[in-house]
Amino acid sequence: MAFSADELRVLRRALAIALHPAPLPDEDVQDCLRLAGSVDEAAGEAGRLRAFLLADLARYRNALPGSLSGYLELLQDALAAGYDPRPEDLAALRALRGGPVAAALLERCQVLAERSVRARLAGRAVPATAPAPRSRLLALPGGRVAEPEKPKAPAAPARPAAPSERPAPKPSEVFPPRRRPVPPPQQRAAG
């Protein structure tokens, strides 16, 4: 996750206030709340991307052996991101172990799966397939005191989203598929 210069400025201020509590101006509180919202949105997007990639991995696995190279590439990326190989992955790799890449991945996945099983048997937490939801930032030390609740007016019926609001982009729009490098054309020597 990367922060912009403004977000880093807000983060520095929030950390300084957390270490040395002091009353905050309303503008600083709003900046902190906006930053917390941005972090929540980024974490939610990361969860959606992870779910998309896992579904993509399952589609490639179901299309084996025709999708061999794509599946192996996606599985390597997923393992690098902390994916815990499933029994279906191990079965697919056993069927494909004739190739050197698949054989190496099978060994790696067996080690990871064994570690995962041992951790579960020992009662330790195992990395989840989806990120745990982060709690909302409710109060800042030294921040604004909660205002007493005012009587609320009757809620207006929810109106549909304005057509000018853009829906969240799909992972395929944000992260285009990786292209393999094309080897340079072979030059022939005049004979």
Side-chain angles (χ1 to χ4, degrees), residues 10 14 24 27-37 137 140:
V10 171
L24 285 175
E27 181 182 320
D28 288 349
V29 171
Q30 292 304 317
D31 287 345
C32 289
L33 291 174
R34 272 193 297 276
L35 179 61
L137 178 64
L140 295 172

Side-chain angles (χ1 to χ4, degrees), residues 19-115:
L19 293 173
H20 306 288
L24 285 175
D26 284 347
E27 181 182 320
D28 288 349
V29 171
Q30 292 304 317
D31 287 345
C32 289
L33 291 174
R34 272 193 297 276
L35 179 61
S38 296
V39 169
D40 286 342
E41 186 179 327
E45 184 61 32
R48 285 190 294 274
L49 178 61
R50 182 174 175 83
F52 172 79
L53 292 176
L54 292 178
D56 210 20
L57 182 65
R59 276 194 302 275
Y60 272 78
R61 184 177 49 239
N62 293 336
L64 285 172
S67 62
L68 176 66
S69 63
Y71 173 70
L72 295 177
E73 196 173 305
L74 280 174
L75 183 59
Q76 285 175 336
D77 291 346
L79 290 173
Y83 173 69
D84 204 13
R86 297 186 178 150
E88 306 91 57
D89 295 311
L90 294 171
L93 288 171
R94 282 187 193 105
L96 301 169
R97 68 177 152 207
V101 176
L105 268 175
L106 176 60
E107 286 181 37
R108 183 176 173 196
C109 286
Q110 285 174 332
V111 169
L112 290 173
E114 185 177 329
R115 253 189 237 156

Side-chain angles (χ1 to χ4, degrees), residues 93-170:
L93 288 171
R94 282 187 193 105
L96 301 169
R97 68 177 152 207
V101 176
L105 268 175
L106 176 60
E107 286 181 37
R108 183 176 173 196
C109 286
Q110 285 174 332
V111 169
L112 290 173
E114 185 177 329
R115 253 189 237 156
S116 175
V117 168
R118 286 181 189 214
R120 272 190 242 126
L121 290 175
R124 291 183 295 176
V126 179
T129 55
R134 190 172 76 80
S135 61
R136 293 284 305 153
L137 178 64
L138 299 176
L140 295 172
R144 263 194 325 207
V145 177
E147 297 173 4
E149 288 202 27
K150 299 174 186 174
K152 295 182 179 178
R159 58 180 189 177
S164 64
E165 293 180 18
R166 184 172 179 265
K170 297 178 192 171

